[in-house]
Amino acid sequence: MENQVLESSEERTFQYQDSLPSLPVPLLDESLSKYLDAVKPFLNQEEYERTEDIVKKFGNGIGKVFLELHQKLLERAKTRRNWLEDWWLNVAYLDLRISTQIHCNIAGPAPYIENYWPPKEGTQIERACVYIWHTLKYWDLLRAEKVAIERSGNVVLDMNQFRMLFCTCKIPGVTRDSIGHYFKTETEGECPSHLVVLCRGRVFAFDAIHEGNMVTPPEIFRQLTYIQKRCHSEPDGPGLAALTSNERTKWAELRQYLIDLDPKNLTLLEKIQKSVFVVCLDDSSPHATPEDYSEVTRLGLTGDPTVRWGDKSYSSIFFSNGTCSAFCDHSPLDAMALISMFSYVDKKLIENEGKWKGSDKVRDIPWPEELVFTVDQKVIKEIGCTKEWYYKKVSDLQLVSYAFTSFGKALIKKKKFHPDTFVQLALQLAFYKCHGRPGCCYETATTRRFYHGRTETIRSCTMEAVEWCKSMLDRSDSTYQRLQLMHKAFAKHNKMKKECENGKGFDRHLLGLLLIAQEQGLPVPELYVDNAFTASGGGGNFVLSTSLTGYTSFSGSALPMVHHGYGFFYAIRDDRIVATCCSWKSCPETDAEVLCRTVFQCLQDMLQLTVAAQL
């Protein structure tokens, strides 16, 4: 998915949506045997035999339970082009009651500091207006269906997630959230065209279209300057946006309370929900260099909650020193759609040297309107409590984002290795070195070659990877032995990745079988309560939660899945690898800084191994 043409004239962005293949249901015996293979590294002989009994009992027809569930899953798949879609949205995102802004949102710093926009005080507004304009141009291209269709090789990928980039917002519910989606292409009809700006606890909105034409950077500059001047010379607003960082049921109840307090509040909330995207003007000045993105990444992910609308599918944060970050709700989309948009903006910024080269003419457009919510003492108090709770929670986060600059994709490919697998195996080795045991690992694979496909789990911690890790730590093993085992580990990972992308993974299948049982009140198979299930990462228990953010200059991050785990996200460029690693300070056994540095050492060790082998 590299070096794409980003604007297309011949094809329409969504033209193949109706001809994409349906998401397949994998074969039951294949999924079960892959599962058995995946749990092996985490069990002793006795435990493994017990798990094997549980699985085999179902596999060969003695336990009809699984076959029955599988049959029901096949029935479900007959009437849906994607049997997983609604389930996944609910189970992975909308049913969660924890603070999704903290635990599920994704964020990433912009790499613009590396070319035309190094950190510099006083540049916040001028940079923001150029950036906003390019993003609006992308929104316009998308509405005209002129964004290029993405392909993997020559296979068309599903483009549905691109519809979720703009005019999309999660809405809290007491037991389950929902997604408000207001984007429309030009042929579908009218689409909201206003932006929302958050600054010093206040909320403003202005239209991006004036008399049929897009506002220009000088016009956006005028709007943002007006907002900033007012906010800096008047008292701070109540900071209502902080409420989005609450636990979901709490936020749902407070939102309802606001609406009951004054029906006008609903109109204002809907205005935020429908906006093209949200612009956050943040007073912090995070340190950022091309080699160290730690602070700007941490503040992007867990910064001031009064200038983050955590439920919005896309928010653009501009810090006071002109650095910037994206902040996104993960429910409606995965990171690659965002990264395609960012790559477009990056390309345009570089083409124009980070400046606006058009006309300075500013039309007489209406000033931004302030969205003034009716609040009472209870709401003010809740905002205060939420902020206190939020800061306590996020102060526990340890996050580092460093560039490994010794080599990148170019050299790895020259050595005939798959770059993504190279990093995954370095991570496995690093975890083994730091913790003395294998670490169950979730790597995201995309299933976008299928209709509305999203992700499947690649379980990177294989027996082959573990055997190789042991060999690397065993002084008596020869270079040749280590290299042989490394090649085996690579082959296994590459095979799994391919299977997952082709709808032949097993994690989503197992989830489907469990959900069918729960929905129809059938007995839940023993497999799901067996210790091996959790120990190997099942049920959201992966100690390493990882993802490649592409072969681009955009890195991203999300929080660990479990308290004793890590989030590990990486972008592989030609000459470097930018890795972001986070963990919780309150967990004594994890240390994001140490793991990240160890991964970098392991990358060197792996290269050494290939060099030594050639001598």
Side-chain angles (χ1 to χ4, degrees):
M1 277 174 54
E2 298 158 56
N3 312 330
Q4 291 146 355
V5 199
L6 291 167
E7 294 166 61
S8 137
S9 45
E10 311 79 40
E11 294 180 319
R12 291 190 328 282
T13 307
F14 304 112
Q15 82 176 50
Y16 298 122
Q17 287 301 111
D18 290 337
S19 55
L20 288 164
S22 297
L23 184 71
V25 176
L27 297 168
L28 181 62
D29 53 347
E30 279 191 15
S31 287
L32 291 175
S33 82
K34 283 173 188 170
Y35 170 71
L36 271 180
D37 193 34
V39 300
K40 229 180 223 158
F42 310 98
L43 307 177
N44 61 31
Q45 193 54 38
E46 192 185 325
E47 292 169 321
Y48 180 73
E49 281 166 13
R50 178 183 138 76
T51 299
E52 201 174 25
D53 279 349
I54 289 172
V55 172
K56 289 273 161 72
K57 197 162 74 189
F58 295 116
N60 65 15
I62 304 165
K64 292 207 195 88
V65 188
F66 253 133
L67 288 167
E68 240 174 77
L69 296 175
H70 184 66
Q71 222 28 66
K72 289 183 188 294
L73 193 55
L74 292 171
E75 287 301 309
R76 177 183 167 95
K78 276 183 193 158
T79 58
R80 290 173 163 82
R81 291 186 62 194
N82 187 319
W83 57 267
L84 177 65
E85 186 175 16
D86 314 345
W87 269 349
W88 181 251
L89 194 57
N90 291 336
V91 173
Y93 301 109
L94 304 181
D95 288 341
L96 296 174
R97 298 293 89 196
I98 52 176
S99 160
T100 49
Q101 175 169 332
I102 296 176
H103 294 282
C104 301
N105 278 33
I106 48 181
Y112 314 132
I113 61 162
E114 295 181 31
N115 33 61
Y116 295 103
W117 288 357
K120 188 182 171 205
E121 285 303 330
T123 58
Q124 182 185 33
I125 302 295
E126 58 178 279
R127 289 177 183 180
C129 68
V130 174
Y131 179 87
I132 290 165
W133 185 77
H134 285 303
T135 308
L136 286 168
K137 287 305 247 188
Y138 189 84
W139 165 73
D140 207 33
L141 284 172
L142 196 61
R143 289 206 65 221
E145 290 196 63
K146 284 184 177 159
V147 168
I149 294 169
E150 295 191 330
R151 287 176 165 78
S152 173
N154 55 5
V155 181
V156 167
L157 298 179
D158 180 276
M159 295 296 286
N160 184 57
Q161 291 180 37
F162 284 73
R163 305 177 64 96
M164 309 295 165
L165 287 165
F166 302 111
C167 311
T168 299
C169 194
K170 191 162 63 181
I171 300 161
V174 176
T175 55
R176 172 183 286 170
D177 296 347
S178 56
I179 289 176
H181 181 56
Y182 314 94
F183 175 83
K184 283 194 166 79
T185 61
E186 284 168 3
T187 44
E188 289 166 349
E190 288 287 302
C191 174
S193 58
H194 61 282
L195 293 172
V196 161
V197 182
L198 302 178
C199 182
R200 297 217 170 162
R202 297 165 73 175
V203 188
F204 294 83
F206 65 89
D207 212 298
I209 307 283
H210 179 65
E211 292 171 352
N213 290 313
M214 183 93 73
V215 287
T216 62
E219 290 167 342
I220 300 168
F221 185 84
R222 167 189 184 263
Q223 302 297 62
L224 295 183
T225 305
Y226 167 83
I227 291 168
Q228 194 181 48
K229 280 205 169 117
R230 278 196 56 186
C231 290
H232 287 211
S233 61
E234 298 165 17
D236 285 2
L240 192 90
L243 297 178
T244 63
S245 69
N246 256 313
E247 288 172 346
R248 303 308 294 170
T249 301
K250 182 103 195 243
W251 165 219
E253 287 163 352
L254 286 168
R255 184 177 181 276
Q256 192 52 53
Y257 180 85
L258 277 167
I259 295 164
D260 294 342
L261 197 61
D262 185 342
K264 190 189 75 175
N265 284 341
L266 177 58
T267 312
L268 302 180
L269 287 163
E270 285 176 343
K271 184 116 188 174
I272 298 171
Q273 285 160 206
K274 292 177 179 174
S275 62
V276 180
F277 60 98
V278 169
V279 177
C280 314
L281 299 178
D282 193 310
D283 291 331
S284 323
S285 294
H287 171 76
T289 69
E291 282 69 50
D292 184 356
Y293 278 97
S294 304
E295 198 181 0
V296 66
T297 306
R298 186 176 55 78
L299 285 176
L301 194 58
T302 57
D304 180 355
T306 65
V307 286
R308 308 273 187 286
W309 198 267
D311 292 343
K312 200 70 184 142
S313 69
Y314 175 50
S315 295
S316 178
I317 303 168
F318 271 84
F319 295 104
S320 110
N321 61 352
T323 55
C324 56
S325 175
F327 189 54
C328 313
D329 168 37
H330 206 335
S331 323
L333 81 185
D334 302 308
M336 293 322 289
L338 291 154
I339 286 167
S340 295
M341 170 175 73
F342 300 151
S343 300
Y344 164 87
V345 175
D346 192 34
K347 183 170 148 251
K348 294 295 175 191
L349 284 174
I350 289 170
E351 277 171 21
N352 297 288
E353 295 163 24
K355 299 186 186 74
W356 164 246
K357 296 185 170 175
S359 156
D360 285 338
K361 183 175 173 292
V362 175
R363 294 170 293 172
D364 186 19
I365 53 180
W367 293 108
E369 62 156 325
E370 183 168 8
L371 309 187
V372 182
F373 286 84
T374 302
V375 295
D376 62 6
Q377 279 320 109
K378 176 183 154 79
V379 175
I380 302 280
K381 182 170 167 282
E382 288 292 354
I383 292 169
C385 294
T386 301
K387 278 160 68 175
E388 195 179 330
W389 173 83
Y390 171 90
Y391 280 120
K392 185 170 185 268
K393 188 93 188 137
V394 301
S395 66
D396 188 33
L397 183 71
Q398 181 189 16
L399 183 147
V400 297
S401 183
Y402 297 135
F404 170 80
T405 53
S406 307
F407 57 87
K409 185 180 82 174
L411 187 64
I412 299 172
K413 286 190 91 158
K414 199 174 150 197
K415 296 280 181 196
K416 306 265 192 297
F417 288 105
H418 190 305
D420 176 61
T421 310
F422 201 92
V423 178
Q424 283 288 330
L425 287 175
L427 176 61
Q428 282 302 315
L429 180 55
F431 187 91
Y432 208 103
K433 275 186 166 178
C434 292
H435 295 275
R437 59 182 157 84
C440 55
C441 181
Y442 175 115
E443 183 191 359
T444 316
T446 180
T447 50
R448 277 177 56 203
R449 57 187 58 197
F450 303 106
Y451 177 78
H452 287 191
R454 288 191 61 171
T455 60
E456 176 57 279
T457 306
I458 306 171
R459 296 201 184 195
S460 311
C461 186
T462 58
M463 275 314 286
E464 289 82 348
V466 173
E467 292 303 325
W468 168 69
C469 289
K470 287 179 176 165
S471 172
M472 290 295 282
L473 300 177
D474 182 345
R475 292 225 169 93
S476 64
D477 274 12
S478 69
T479 298
Y480 177 74
Q481 278 169 301
R482 290 171 176 175
L483 200 66
Q484 289 298 95
L485 289 168
M486 183 160 100
H487 278 292
K488 272 190 188 156
F490 264 93
K492 172 74 171 191
H493 192 95
N494 296 342
K495 178 171 175 269
M496 289 192 307
K497 185 180 166 73
K498 230 185 207 88
E499 287 173 346
C500 288
E501 288 170 354
N502 286 306
K504 294 188 166 80
F506 67 85
D507 268 273
R508 303 292 178 268
H509 187 192
L510 287 182
L511 175 68
L513 298 170
L514 174 64
L515 293 174
I516 281 272
Q518 288 174 344
E519 259 181 26
Q520 308 203 358
L522 298 164
V524 169
E526 205 183 338
L527 178 141
Y528 300 99
V529 289
D530 174 32
N531 168 49
F533 185 69
T534 312
S536 62
N541 285 289
F542 290 96
V543 172
L544 288 164
S545 168
T546 76
S547 206
L548 164 71
T549 56
Y551 300 96
T552 69
S553 42
F554 290 88
S555 56
S557 61
L559 268 54
M561 242 186 231
V562 290
H563 187 250
H564 60 285
Y566 296 93
F568 189 86
F569 302 88
Y570 51 97
I572 304 176
R573 307 194 207 171
D574 277 340
D575 63 338
R576 59 178 55 201
I577 296 163
V578 179
T580 306
C581 183
C582 57
S583 60
W584 295 105
K585 294 175 191 168
S586 57
C587 174
E589 63 193 76
T590 55
D591 187 322
E593 170 98 28
V594 172
L595 184 71
C596 191
R597 296 286 183 207
T598 310
V599 169
F600 289 178
Q601 186 53 57
C602 292
L603 289 166
Q604 296 281 19
D605 294 347
M606 287 168 72
L607 184 71
Q608 280 313 114
L609 191 57
T610 65
V611 173
Q614 287 161 338
L615 295 176

